[in-house]
Amino acid sequence: MNSPLPAGALAGKTALVTGSSRGIGADTVRYFAAAGANVVINYRSKAPRAEKLVAELAEQGTAAIAVGADLTDPESVAAMMDTIRDRFGSLDVLVLNASGGMESNMGEDYALRLNRDAQVNVLEQGTALMGEGGRVVFVTSHQAHFIRTVPTMPEYEAVALSKRAGEDALRERIADLAERGIGFTVVSGDMIEGTITATLLERARPGAIETRKEAAGKLYNVSEFAAEVALAAVEPVPADNTRLVGDVSYFTEYAGE
């Protein structure tokens, strides 16, 4: 896969992508590695996939490690950060990609604990390893980003609300991060074909993906959206700290009614 980042753009830098054993996170890691970064692949339970990705990148000359951590457990996150400090010394790029809430048997408050509380904790612990010039990227969806003004499918509403709560909590820290020279960008995309969330939504409401594709004209696939996430880590931070990927006319027109 061709990286959207210039060769050497992240040479000597270290990047952590949460939830990166597969999907958008894994492709984002690949793009960072191609740009010269040392990469940290975080996973919750997919150790074999994470180690396979480490091996793939190692063959290409990338310094890569896989670190398992339950992001809803602050002690587990602290152990991950200790590992990063011991291996690479510091952190330059943090991509908050991991999310969830549609899984079964995780508890009623799991979506909020993962999509809000854990995001804030990972940000705080991760940026403790960062210096001036560091970058943080929070990955979300249009369905969550616009949930305050545009309703979404009932099956996704709780997740969308928790993701927006996480985004809001992170945005409250933008000024403090800026004072430290750390940039923060939210990357919001439409439904992404091939993701776990899209699969679960399709299972709950057959035809949901095709309906949204017809309305939007195009849905990004995993590698295309990952390219936008990777670019957000190196391109200038937008004035509103937001990078909207794909069509947003439905969301903006609905909100304006």
Side-chain angles (χ1 to χ4, degrees), residues 153 155 191 198 201-214 219:
M153 290 175 286
E155 296 85 354
M191 289 183 184
L201 277 173
E202 185 68 21
R203 189 177 300 164
R205 179 172 291 205
I209 301 300
E210 192 59 35
T211 298
R212 182 63 200 134
K213 184 189 295 186
E214 290 177 2
L219 293 182

mmCIF file with all atom_site columns, all heavy atoms in Angstrom, residues 153 155 191 198 201-214 219:
data_model
loop_
_atom_site.group_PDB
_atom_site.id
_atom_site.type_symbol
_atom_site.label_atom_id
_atom_site.label_alt_id
_atom_site.label_comp_id
_atom_site.label_asym_id
_atom_site.label_entity_id
_atom_site.label_seq_id
_atom_site.pdbx_PDB_ins_code
_atom_site.Cartn_x
_atom_site.Cartn_y
_atom_site.Cartn_z
_atom_site.occupancy
_atom_site.B_iso_or_equiv
_atom_site.pdbx_formal_charge
_atom_site.auth_seq_id
_atom_site.auth_comp_id
_atom_site.auth_asym_id
_atom_site.auth_atom_id
_atom_site.pdbx_PDB_model_num
ATOM 1   N N   . MET A 1 153 ? -29.098 6.048   13.907 1.00 0.00 ? 153 MET A N   1
ATOM 2   C CA  . MET A 1 153 ? -29.884 4.829   14.099 1.00 0.00 ? 153 MET A CA  1
ATOM 3   C C   . MET A 1 153 ? -29.978 4.497   15.582 1.00 0.00 ? 153 MET A C   1
ATOM 4   O O   . MET A 1 153 ? -28.984 4.634   16.309 1.00 0.00 ? 153 MET A O   1
ATOM 5   C CB  . MET A 1 153 ? -29.231 3.669   13.340 1.00 0.00 ? 153 MET A CB  1
ATOM 6   C CG  . MET A 1 153 ? -29.326 3.783   11.835 1.00 0.00 ? 153 MET A CG  1
ATOM 7   S SD  . MET A 1 153 ? -28.418 2.467   10.974 1.00 0.00 ? 153 MET A SD  1
ATOM 8   C CE  . MET A 1 153 ? -26.736 3.020   11.243 1.00 0.00 ? 153 MET A CE  1
ATOM 9   N N   . GLU A 1 155 ? -29.838 1.809   17.107 1.00 0.00 ? 155 GLU A N   1
ATOM 10  C CA  . GLU A 1 155 ? -28.859 0.793   17.508 1.00 0.00 ? 155 GLU A CA  1
ATOM 11  C C   . GLU A 1 155 ? -27.491 1.393   17.814 1.00 0.00 ? 155 GLU A C   1
ATOM 12  O O   . GLU A 1 155 ? -26.681 0.797   18.522 1.00 0.00 ? 155 GLU A O   1
ATOM 13  C CB  . GLU A 1 155 ? -28.712 -0.267  16.408 1.00 0.00 ? 155 GLU A CB  1
ATOM 14  C CG  . GLU A 1 155 ? -29.969 -1.075  16.145 1.00 0.00 ? 155 GLU A CG  1
ATOM 15  C CD  . GLU A 1 155 ? -30.922 -0.401  15.166 1.00 0.00 ? 155 GLU A CD  1
ATOM 16  O OE1 . GLU A 1 155 ? -30.682 0.757   14.766 1.00 0.00 ? 155 GLU A OE1 1
ATOM 17  O OE2 . GLU A 1 155 ? -31.914 -1.055  14.793 1.00 0.00 ? 155 GLU A OE2 1
ATOM 18  N N   . MET A 1 191 ? -19.676 6.334   7.753  1.00 0.00 ? 191 MET A N   1
ATOM 19  C CA  . MET A 1 191 ? -19.524 4.892   7.930  1.00 0.00 ? 191 MET A CA  1
ATOM 20  C C   . MET A 1 191 ? -18.365 4.411   7.066  1.00 0.00 ? 191 MET A C   1
ATOM 21  O O   . MET A 1 191 ? -18.225 4.829   5.923  1.00 0.00 ? 191 MET A O   1
ATOM 22  C CB  . MET A 1 191 ? -20.796 4.152   7.510  1.00 0.00 ? 191 MET A CB  1
ATOM 23  C CG  . MET A 1 191 ? -21.964 4.334   8.438  1.00 0.00 ? 191 MET A CG  1
ATOM 24  S SD  . MET A 1 191 ? -23.358 3.323   7.867  1.00 0.00 ? 191 MET A SD  1
ATOM 25  C CE  . MET A 1 191 ? -24.612 3.828   9.043  1.00 0.00 ? 191 MET A CE  1
ATOM 26  N N   . ALA A 1 198 ? -19.263 -1.080  11.441 1.00 0.00 ? 198 ALA A N   1
ATOM 27  C CA  . ALA A 1 198 ? -20.149 -1.195  10.282 1.00 0.00 ? 198 ALA A CA  1
ATOM 28  C C   . ALA A 1 198 ? -20.758 -2.590  10.203 1.00 0.00 ? 198 ALA A C   1
ATOM 29  O O   . ALA A 1 198 ? -21.939 -2.758  9.894  1.00 0.00 ? 198 ALA A O   1
ATOM 30  C CB  . ALA A 1 198 ? -19.381 -0.876  8.998  1.00 0.00 ? 198 ALA A CB  1
ATOM 31  N N   . LEU A 1 201 ? -23.437 -2.848  12.885 1.00 0.00 ? 201 LEU A N   1
ATOM 32  C CA  . LEU A 1 201 ? -24.609 -2.081  12.489 1.00 0.00 ? 201 LEU A CA  1
ATOM 33  C C   . LEU A 1 201 ? -25.397 -2.808  11.401 1.00 0.00 ? 201 LEU A C   1
ATOM 34  O O   . LEU A 1 201 ? -26.629 -2.849  11.428 1.00 0.00 ? 201 LEU A O   1
ATOM 35  C CB  . LEU A 1 201 ? -24.183 -0.699  11.982 1.00 0.00 ? 201 LEU A CB  1
ATOM 36  C CG  . LEU A 1 201 ? -23.943 0.379   13.027 1.00 0.00 ? 201 LEU A CG  1
ATOM 37  C CD1 . LEU A 1 201 ? -23.367 1.625   12.372 1.00 0.00 ? 201 LEU A CD1 1
ATOM 38  C CD2 . LEU A 1 201 ? -25.234 0.720   13.767 1.00 0.00 ? 201 LEU A CD2 1
ATOM 39  N N   . GLU A 1 202 ? -24.678 -3.374  10.456 1.00 0.00 ? 202 GLU A N   1
ATOM 40  C CA  . GLU A 1 202 ? -25.331 -4.101  9.372  1.00 0.00 ? 202 GLU A CA  1
ATOM 41  C C   . GLU A 1 202 ? -26.071 -5.316  9.921  1.00 0.00 ? 202 GLU A C   1
ATOM 42  O O   . GLU A 1 202 ? -27.158 -5.661  9.451  1.00 0.00 ? 202 GLU A O   1
ATOM 43  C CB  . GLU A 1 202 ? -24.294 -4.528  8.331  1.00 0.00 ? 202 GLU A CB  1
ATOM 44  C CG  . GLU A 1 202 ? -24.875 -5.183  7.083  1.00 0.00 ? 202 GLU A CG  1
ATOM 45  C CD  . GLU A 1 202 ? -25.680 -4.214  6.220  1.00 0.00 ? 202 GLU A CD  1
ATOM 46  O OE1 . GLU A 1 202 ? -25.482 -2.991  6.332  1.00 0.00 ? 202 GLU A OE1 1
ATOM 47  O OE2 . GLU A 1 202 ? -26.513 -4.705  5.432  1.00 0.00 ? 202 GLU A OE2 1
ATOM 48  N N   . ARG A 1 203 ? -25.488 -5.940  10.930 1.00 0.00 ? 203 ARG A N   1
ATOM 49  C CA  . ARG A 1 203 ? -26.124 -7.101  11.550 1.00 0.00 ? 203 ARG A CA  1
ATOM 50  C C   . ARG A 1 203 ? -27.404 -6.682  12.284 1.00 0.00 ? 203 ARG A C   1
ATOM 51  O O   . ARG A 1 203 ? -28.424 -7.376  12.224 1.00 0.00 ? 203 ARG A O   1
ATOM 52  C CB  . ARG A 1 203 ? -25.157 -7.760  12.532 1.00 0.00 ? 203 ARG A CB  1
ATOM 53  C CG  . ARG A 1 203 ? -25.612 -9.104  13.082 1.00 0.00 ? 203 ARG A CG  1
ATOM 54  C CD  . ARG A 1 203 ? -24.537 -9.669  13.986 1.00 0.00 ? 203 ARG A CD  1
ATOM 55  N NE  . ARG A 1 203 ? -23.271 -9.858  13.269 1.00 0.00 ? 203 ARG A NE  1
ATOM 56  C CZ  . ARG A 1 203 ? -22.102 -10.046 13.878 1.00 0.00 ? 203 ARG A CZ  1
ATOM 57  N NH1 . ARG A 1 203 ? -22.037 -10.037 15.203 1.00 0.00 ? 203 ARG A NH1 1
ATOM 58  N NH2 . ARG A 1 203 ? -21.016 -10.210 13.162 1.00 0.00 ? 203 ARG A NH2 1
ATOM 59  N N   . ALA A 1 204 ? -27.328 -5.525  12.950 1.00 0.00 ? 204 ALA A N   1
ATOM 60  C CA  . ALA A 1 204 ? -28.491 -5.043  13.694 1.00 0.00 ? 204 ALA A CA  1
ATOM 61  C C   . ALA A 1 204 ? -29.566 -4.487  12.770 1.00 0.00 ? 204 ALA A C   1
ATOM 62  O O   . ALA A 1 204 ? -30.759 -4.594  13.051 1.00 0.00 ? 204 ALA A O   1
ATOM 63  C CB  . ALA A 1 204 ? -28.064 -3.965  14.693 1.00 0.00 ? 204 ALA A CB  1
ATOM 64  N N   . ARG A 1 205 ? -29.132 -3.878  11.656 1.00 0.00 ? 205 ARG A N   1
ATOM 65  C CA  . ARG A 1 205 ? -30.074 -3.283  10.713 1.00 0.00 ? 205 ARG A CA  1
ATOM 66  C C   . ARG A 1 205 ? -29.609 -3.589  9.296  1.00 0.00 ? 205 ARG A C   1
ATOM 67  O O   . ARG A 1 205 ? -28.913 -2.765  8.669  1.00 0.00 ? 205 ARG A O   1
ATOM 68  C CB  . ARG A 1 205 ? -30.177 -1.784  10.944 1.00 0.00 ? 205 ARG A CB  1
ATOM 69  C CG  . ARG A 1 205 ? -31.128 -1.099  9.976  1.00 0.00 ? 205 ARG A CG  1
ATOM 70  C CD  . ARG A 1 205 ? -31.380 0.338   10.337 1.00 0.00 ? 205 ARG A CD  1
ATOM 71  N NE  . ARG A 1 205 ? -32.143 0.461   11.562 1.00 0.00 ? 205 ARG A NE  1
ATOM 72  C CZ  . ARG A 1 205 ? -32.901 1.527   11.873 1.00 0.00 ? 205 ARG A CZ  1
ATOM 73  N NH1 . ARG A 1 205 ? -32.975 2.534   11.037 1.00 0.00 ? 205 ARG A NH1 1
ATOM 74  N NH2 . ARG A 1 205 ? -33.559 1.570   13.006 1.00 0.00 ? 205 ARG A NH2 1
ATOM 75  N N   . PRO A 1 206 ? -29.988 -4.745  8.748  1.00 0.00 ? 206 PRO A N   1
ATOM 76  C CA  . PRO A 1 206 ? -29.563 -5.120  7.395  1.00 0.00 ? 206 PRO A CA  1
ATOM 77  C C   . PRO A 1 206 ? -29.915 -4.044  6.376  1.00 0.00 ? 206 PRO A C   1
ATOM 78  O O   . PRO A 1 206 ? -31.011 -3.501  6.372  1.00 0.00 ? 206 PRO A O   1
ATOM 79  C CB  . PRO A 1 206 ? -30.355 -6.414  7.144  1.00 0.00 ? 206 PRO A CB  1
ATOM 80  C CG  . PRO A 1 206 ? -30.575 -6.991  8.512  1.00 0.00 ? 206 PRO A CG  1
ATOM 81  C CD  . PRO A 1 206 ? -30.800 -5.793  9.404  1.00 0.00 ? 206 PRO A CD  1
ATOM 82  N N   . GLY A 1 207 ? -28.939 -3.733  5.528  1.00 0.00 ? 207 GLY A N   1
ATOM 83  C CA  . GLY A 1 207 ? -29.141 -2.718  4.504  1.00 0.00 ? 207 GLY A CA  1
ATOM 84  C C   . GLY A 1 207 ? -28.665 -1.334  4.910  1.00 0.00 ? 207 GLY A C   1
ATOM 85  O O   . GLY A 1 207 ? -28.680 -0.411  4.090  1.00 0.00 ? 207 GLY A O   1
ATOM 86  N N   . ALA A 1 208 ? -28.224 -1.177  6.172  1.00 0.00 ? 208 ALA A N   1
ATOM 87  C CA  . ALA A 1 208 ? -27.823 0.145   6.665  1.00 0.00 ? 208 ALA A CA  1
ATOM 88  C C   . ALA A 1 208 ? -26.652 0.716   5.883  1.00 0.00 ? 208 ALA A C   1
ATOM 89  O O   . ALA A 1 208 ? -26.633 1.909   5.550  1.00 0.00 ? 208 ALA A O   1
ATOM 90  C CB  . ALA A 1 208 ? -27.467 0.063   8.149  1.00 0.00 ? 208 ALA A CB  1
ATOM 91  N N   . ILE A 1 209 ? -25.677 -0.120  5.568  1.00 0.00 ? 209 ILE A N   1
ATOM 92  C CA  . ILE A 1 209 ? -24.484 0.360   4.865  1.00 0.00 ? 209 ILE A CA  1
ATOM 93  C C   . ILE A 1 209 ? -24.839 0.803   3.446  1.00 0.00 ? 209 ILE A C   1
ATOM 94  O O   . ILE A 1 209 ? -24.435 1.880   2.995  1.00 0.00 ? 209 ILE A O   1
ATOM 95  C CB  . ILE A 1 209 ? -23.396 -0.732  4.826  1.00 0.00 ? 209 ILE A CB  1
ATOM 96  C CG1 . ILE A 1 209 ? -23.003 -1.140  6.258  1.00 0.00 ? 209 ILE A CG1 1
ATOM 97  C CG2 . ILE A 1 209 ? -22.177 -0.233  4.059  1.00 0.00 ? 209 ILE A CG2 1
ATOM 98  C CD1 . ILE A 1 209 ? -22.465 -0.024  7.096  1.00 0.00 ? 209 ILE A CD1 1
ATOM 99  N N   . GLU A 1 210 ? -25.598 -0.010  2.742  1.00 0.00 ? 210 GLU A N   1
ATOM 100 C CA  . GLU A 1 210 ? -25.968 0.321   1.365  1.00 0.00 ? 210 GLU A CA  1
ATOM 101 C C   . GLU A 1 210 ? -26.828 1.581   1.319  1.00 0.00 ? 210 GLU A C   1
ATOM 102 O O   . GLU A 1 210 ? -26.664 2.427   0.419  1.00 0.00 ? 210 GLU A O   1
ATOM 103 C CB  . GLU A 1 210 ? -26.715 -0.849  0.722  1.00 0.00 ? 210 GLU A CB  1
ATOM 104 C CG  . GLU A 1 210 ? -26.891 -0.703  -0.776 1.00 0.00 ? 210 GLU A CG  1
ATOM 105 C CD  . GLU A 1 210 ? -25.567 -0.591  -1.515 1.00 0.00 ? 210 GLU A CD  1
ATOM 106 O OE1 . GLU A 1 210 ? -24.578 -1.230  -1.093 1.00 0.00 ? 210 GLU A OE1 1
ATOM 107 O OE2 . GLU A 1 210 ? -25.520 0.148   -2.519 1.00 0.00 ? 210 GLU A OE2 1
ATOM 108 N N   . THR A 1 211 ? -27.719 1.730   2.303  1.00 0.00 ? 211 THR A N   1
ATOM 109 C CA  . THR A 1 211 ? -28.566 2.920   2.352  1.00 0.00 ? 211 THR A CA  1
ATOM 110 C C   . THR A 1 211 ? -27.727 4.176   2.530  1.00 0.00 ? 211 THR A C   1
ATOM 111 O O   . THR A 1 211 ? -27.934 5.196   1.861  1.00 0.00 ? 211 THR A O   1
ATOM 112 C CB  . THR A 1 211 ? -29.572 2.812   3.516  1.00 0.00 ? 211 THR A CB  1
ATOM 113 O OG1 . THR A 1 211 ? -30.428 1.691   3.287  1.00 0.00 ? 211 THR A OG1 1
ATOM 114 C CG2 . THR A 1 211 ? -30.412 4.077   3.632  1.00 0.00 ? 211 THR A CG2 1
ATOM 115 N N   . ARG A 1 212 ? -26.745 4.111   3.435  1.00 0.00 ? 212 ARG A N   1
ATOM 116 C CA  . ARG A 1 212 ? -25.881 5.275   3.672  1.00 0.00 ? 212 ARG A CA  1
ATOM 117 C C   . ARG A 1 212 ? -24.992 5.549   2.459  1.00 0.00 ? 212 ARG A C   1
ATOM 118 O O   . ARG A 1 212 ? -24.750 6.712   2.106  1.00 0.00 ? 212 ARG A O   1
ATOM 119 C CB  . ARG A 1 212 ? -25.026 5.043   4.923  1.00 0.00 ? 212 ARG A CB  1
ATOM 120 C CG  . ARG A 1 212 ? -24.136 6.227   5.284  1.00 0.00 ? 212 ARG A CG  1
ATOM 121 C CD  . ARG A 1 212 ? -24.943 7.464   5.622  1.00 0.00 ? 212 ARG A CD  1
ATOM 122 N NE  . ARG A 1 212 ? -24.137 8.681   5.515  1.00 0.00 ? 212 ARG A NE  1
ATOM 123 C CZ  . ARG A 1 212 ? -24.521 9.791   4.921  1.00 0.00 ? 212 ARG A CZ  1
ATOM 124 N NH1 . ARG A 1 212 ? -25.726 9.869   4.382  1.00 0.00 ? 212 ARG A NH1 1
ATOM 125 N NH2 . ARG A 1 212 ? -23.730 10.837  4.851  1.00 0.00 ? 212 ARG A NH2 1
ATOM 126 N N   . LYS A 1 213 ? -24.538 4.482   1.806  1.00 0.00 ? 213 LYS A N   1
ATOM 127 C CA  . LYS A 1 213 ? -23.685 4.666   0.620  1.00 0.00 ? 213 LYS A CA  1
ATOM 128 C C   . LYS A 1 213 ? -24.452 5.383   -0.486 1.00 0.00 ? 213 LYS A C   1
ATOM 129 O O   . LYS A 1 213 ? -23.925 6.272   -1.152 1.00 0.00 ? 213 LYS A O   1
ATOM 130 C CB  . LYS A 1 213 ? -23.184 3.307   0.112  1.00 0.00 ? 213 LYS A CB  1
ATOM 131 C CG  . LYS A 1 213 ? -22.209 3.421   -1.048 1.00 0.00 ? 213 LYS A CG  1
ATOM 132 C CD  . LYS A 1 213 ? -21.891 2.082   -1.667 1.00 0.00 ? 213 LYS A CD  1
ATOM 133 C CE  . LYS A 1 213 ? -21.162 1.174   -0.716 1.00 0.00 ? 213 LYS A CE  1
ATOM 134 N NZ  . LYS A 1 213 ? -20.736 -0.095  -1.375 1.00 0.00 ? 213 LYS A NZ  1
ATOM 135 N N   . GLU A 1 214 ? -25.709 5.001   -0.672 1.00 0.00 ? 214 GLU A N   1
ATOM 136 C CA  . GLU A 1 214 ? -26.525 5.647   -1.696 1.00 0.00 ? 214 GLU A CA  1
ATOM 137 C C   . GLU A 1 214 ? -26.738 7.130   -1.375 1.00 0.00 ? 214 GLU A C   1
ATOM 138 O O   . GLU A 1 214 ? -26.700 7.986   -2.261 1.00 0.00 ? 214 GLU A O   1
ATOM 139 C CB  . GLU A 1 214 ? -27.870 4.938   -1.811 1.00 0.00 ? 214 GLU A CB  1
ATOM 140 C CG  . GLU A 1 214 ? -27.770 3.538   -2.412 1.00 0.00 ? 214 GLU A CG  1
ATOM 141 C CD  . GLU A 1 214 ? -29.106 2.842   -2.439 1.00 0.00 ? 214 GLU A CD  1
ATOM 142 O OE1 . GLU A 1 214 ? -30.115 3.458   -2.035 1.00 0.00 ? 214 GLU A OE1 1
ATOM 143 O OE2 . GLU A 1 214 ? -29.149 1.663   -2.851 1.00 0.00 ? 214 GLU A OE2 1
ATOM 144 N N   . LEU A 1 219 ? -18.629 5.788   0.240  1.00 0.00 ? 219 LEU A N   1
ATOM 145 C CA  . LEU A 1 219 ? -18.137 5.545   1.592  1.00 0.00 ? 219 LEU A CA  1
ATOM 146 C C   . LEU A 1 219 ? -16.661 5.162   1.490  1.00 0.00 ? 219 LEU A C   1
ATOM 147 O O   . LEU A 1 219 ? -16.270 4.402   0.613  1.00 0.00 ? 219 LEU A O   1
ATOM 148 C CB  . LEU A 1 219 ? -18.920 4.418   2.272  1.00 0.00 ? 219 LEU A CB  1
ATOM 149 C CG  . LEU A 1 219 ? -20.389 4.689   2.589  1.00 0.00 ? 219 LEU A CG  1
ATOM 150 C CD1 . LEU A 1 219 ? -20.996 3.479   3.298  1.00 0.00 ? 219 LEU A CD1 1
ATOM 151 C CD2 . LEU A 1 219 ? -20.557 5.940   3.443  1.00 0.00 ? 219 LEU A CD2 1
#
